[in-house]
């Protein structure tokens, strides 16, 4: 294989000493207050030195690096949604997490947005006291069990898992699919239809209870570190106190689902920062025809396109953060952000992998890994098509769903 960089070449020596512009070239992070900006930089350095270099082999093997969870906790990434920080800071932290690895960003994001945040806001005092201390430190992990084998985009109307009130408490029956962290989580926040009033309610179901079966979903093209699972609940009995009091109808959790969709928008932006980092790094070091490929016009155009996509995505998400601070986030806004940034991430990932040439198909260079992960972002938390139709309904007043 030809050398990545001939440091004896005068141009190669020069390139090694260049200070390159940050991928956030329009300085979105400068909108943060100084304390948040300083902490974001610390998180960035931690993720780029301790996390990103160590996850590739786990991705190849479809394994979660459990040994990295304590370090994530020490960096405060287990309690983002419990801190008094700005929405922009939280979003940029999620972007930095994705910049380092999409799978771990999914774990951290779901943990905060849909587990910690929901229990903190909608749970009982007893549930908060029992679970939040361990969740803060990743000593406990929960999973969000909503999607089912037969219902994804139409889950609100098609959810078939049932909860029957009995003298012993609640009896849960049903199946869930694509549940992130479902293979090892301590509990699930499970959504089931109350057989009495047909309302969809949320329950905390410890996954070591009799009647719970969990099976890892393997051979995924992306998000390979995240352990997705099929969960089966066969007459699983939980006590009355396991119902989440603030989530006694599906409408109660709409704000969390909306925020979660916006969070994936930050993932789309953060992934593109990572793509730009690795594509530029490769382009300035890889020599062909006696010079770095960064001197080739076609390569420079692709790098500029990736940076433009990333900058547009960050700017969109910064505005979404402002809307969230004003408590005005609505599903069409979140759907537009998620569909746009993940569409651009898909384009940026293809351009980045192309810059890598033959080496671009090897996961050791990260570019093919990020291209595969981009496909997952494009699909989960509402596919691109579904999110586009949510926006379409909002701007035309006509629904394409029915």
């Amino acid at each position: 294989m030809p050398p990545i960089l001939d440091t004896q070449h005068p141009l190669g020596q020069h390139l090694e000493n260049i200070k390159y512009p940050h991928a956030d070239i329009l300085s979105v992070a400068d909108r943060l207050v100084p304390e948040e900006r300083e902490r974001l930089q610390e998180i960035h350095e931690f993720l780029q030195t301790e996390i990103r270099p160590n996850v590739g082999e786990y991705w190849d093997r479809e394994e979660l690096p459990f040994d990295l969870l304590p370090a994530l906790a020490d960096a405060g990434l287990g309690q983002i949604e419990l801190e008094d920080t700005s929405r922009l800071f939280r979003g940029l932290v999620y972007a930095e997490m994705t910049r380092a690895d999409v799978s771990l960003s999914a774990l951290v994001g779901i943990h905060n947005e849909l587990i910690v945040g929901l229990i903190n806001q909608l749970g009982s005092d007893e549930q908060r006291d029992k679970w939040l201390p361990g969740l803060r430190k990743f000593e406990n992990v929960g999973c969000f069990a909503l999607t089912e084998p037969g219902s994804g985009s139409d889950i609100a109307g098609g959810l078939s898992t049932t909860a029957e009130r009995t003298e012993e408490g609640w009896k849960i029956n049903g199946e869930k699919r694509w549940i992130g962290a479902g293979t090892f989580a301590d509990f699930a926040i499970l959504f089931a239809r109350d057989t009495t009033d047909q309302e969809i309610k949320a329950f905390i179901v410890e996954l070591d209870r009799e009647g719970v079966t969990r099976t890892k979903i393997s051979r995924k093209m992306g998000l390979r570190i995240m352990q997705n699972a099929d969960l089966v609940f066969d007459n699983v009995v939980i006590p009355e106190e396991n119902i989440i009091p603030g989530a006694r109808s599906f409408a109660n959790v709409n704000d969390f689902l909306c925020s979660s969709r916006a969070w994936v928008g930050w993932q789309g932006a953060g992934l593109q920062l990572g793509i730009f980092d690795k594509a530029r790094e490769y382009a300035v070091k890889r020599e062909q025809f006696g010079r770095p490929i960064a001197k080739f016009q076609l390569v420079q155009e692709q790098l500029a396109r990736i940076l433009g996509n990333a900058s547009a995505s960050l700017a969109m998400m910064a505005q979404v953060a402002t809307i969230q601070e004003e408590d005005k986030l609505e599903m069409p806004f979140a759907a537009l952000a998620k569909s746009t940034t993940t569409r651009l991430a898909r384009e940026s990932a293809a351009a980045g992998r192309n810059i890598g040439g033959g080496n671009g198909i090897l996961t050791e260079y990260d570019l093919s890994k990020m291209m595969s992960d981009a496909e997952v972002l494009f699909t989960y938390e509402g596919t691109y098509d579904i999110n586009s139709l949510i926006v379409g309904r909002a701007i035309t007043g006509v629904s394409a769903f029915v």
Side-chain angles (χ1 to χ4, degrees):
M1 180 183 296
I4 295 298
L5 175 67
D6 180 3
T7 55
Q8 301 306 309
H9 191 288
L11 183 58
Q13 295 175 30
H14 173 65
L15 286 171
E16 283 212 318
N17 295 322
I18 290 177
K19 182 175 177 60
Y20 298 106
H22 193 282
D24 179 13
I25 198 168
L26 300 183
S27 302
V28 170
D30 285 355
R31 302 184 193 182
L32 298 172
V33 298
E35 294 80 7
E36 289 183 342
R37 192 160 62 244
E38 181 179 350
R39 186 173 171 211
L40 182 68
Q41 181 60 30
E42 292 173 354
I43 290 172
H44 166 78
E45 292 174 1
F46 158 70
L47 292 172
Q48 290 298 314
T49 58
E50 303 297 326
I51 301 299
R52 190 197 62 75
N54 297 314
V55 293
E57 292 184 3
Y58 291 95
W59 193 92
D60 289 338
R61 298 194 300 265
E62 293 188 286
E63 295 178 4
L64 187 92
F66 290 98
D67 56 310
L68 296 180
L69 293 184
L72 294 175
D74 289 343
L77 296 175
Q79 56 182 8
I80 298 169
E81 290 301 313
L82 298 177
E83 298 177 342
D84 185 20
T85 54
S86 68
R87 278 288 184 176
L88 180 59
F89 172 78
R90 280 177 267 176
L92 287 169
V93 169
Y94 292 137
E96 286 295 340
M97 192 72 238
T98 314
R99 188 178 189 172
D101 180 71
V102 178
S103 294
L104 289 181
S105 79
L107 177 65
V108 169
I110 292 170
H111 174 86
N112 279 280
E113 291 277 337
L114 296 177
I115 306 299
V116 171
L118 192 146
I119 290 176
N120 185 52
Q121 294 188 41
L122 302 183
S124 66
D125 289 339
E126 292 77 13
Q127 290 165 354
R128 285 190 285 270
D129 291 342
K130 178 177 181 179
W131 293 111
L132 288 182
L135 290 170
R136 286 174 178 269
K137 301 177 181 179
F138 283 114
E139 293 172 355
N140 292 120
V141 175
C143 62
F144 194 78
L146 176 60
T147 303
E148 298 183 350
S151 296
S153 299
D154 65 342
I155 191 65
L159 187 142
S160 60
T161 298
T162 60
E164 178 186 0
R165 187 178 245 131
T166 69
E167 293 182 357
E168 300 172 281
W170 293 89
K171 184 183 294 184
I172 308 294
N173 280 284
E175 299 179 24
K176 299 294 181 178
R177 183 159 174 79
W178 294 115
I179 308 307
T183 61
F184 63 91
D186 299 289
F187 65 91
I189 293 180
L190 177 136
F191 291 82
R193 195 177 299 277
D194 186 340
T195 57
T196 301
D197 61 14
Q198 299 303 305
E199 288 281 0
I200 296 174
K201 300 175 180 177
F203 304 83
I204 293 178
V205 182
E206 297 88 350
L207 295 179
D208 59 356
R209 289 187 177 274
E210 184 178 355
V212 176
T213 302
R214 32 185 169 179
T215 306
K216 178 182 176 180
I217 298 174
S218 299
R219 305 178 70 182
K220 299 181 298 180
M221 71 174 292
L223 213 69
R224 289 168 61 85
I225 288 175
M226 171 58 94
Q227 305 296 291
N228 292 91
D230 287 318
L231 303 180
V232 177
F233 301 87
D234 183 11
N235 291 319
V236 177
V237 177
I238 59 173
E240 174 66 31
E241 58 265 27
N242 278 32
I243 189 170
I244 298 177
R248 292 180 179 270
S249 77
F250 201 62
N252 296 144
V253 299
N254 278 344
D255 288 345
F256 291 92
L257 298 177
C258 188
S259 294
S260 178
R261 197 153 294 188
W263 155 67
V264 182
W266 281 110
Q267 284 190 294
L271 176 58
Q272 292 180 82
L273 297 178
I275 293 166
F276 179 77
D277 289 341
K278 300 307 292 185
R280 177 175 60 182
E281 175 185 308
Y282 187 84
V284 299
K285 292 182 178 180
R286 174 65 166 176
E287 288 191 358
Q288 291 288 275
F289 304 103
R291 54 182 176 167
I293 64 172
K295 285 183 64 68
F296 299 155
Q297 293 177 1
L298 291 178
V299 171
Q300 290 194 2
E301 187 280 331
Q302 290 177 94
L303 287 172
R305 179 149 39 96
I306 295 168
L307 184 60
N309 287 349
S311 299
S313 298
L314 279 176
M316 172 178 271
M317 293 313 304
Q319 180 60 24
V320 168
T322 298
I323 293 171
Q324 286 180 291
E325 291 282 8
E326 298 170 351
D327 199 25
K328 295 180 179 178
L329 184 67
E330 299 177 10
M331 186 59 80
F333 302 152
L336 179 64
K338 190 272 178 183
S339 61
T340 300
T341 69
T342 59
R343 171 176 57 82
L344 293 176
R346 205 183 193 200
E347 177 184 310
S348 296
R353 199 230 57 80
N354 188 54
I355 289 172
N359 287 332
I361 69 172
L362 301 174
T363 54
E364 67 178 281
Y365 291 93
D366 285 344
L367 294 167
S368 65
K369 171 178 174 285
M370 291 188 287
M371 185 176 182
S372 296
D373 285 339
E375 290 298 308
V376 179
L377 297 187
F378 191 70
T379 302
Y380 79 173
E381 283 292 333
T383 65
Y384 172 80
D385 294 335
I386 289 296
N387 279 301
S388 297
L389 295 181
I390 290 172
V391 177
R393 178 176 59 193
I395 61 179
T396 66
V398 179
S399 176
F401 295 107
V402 293

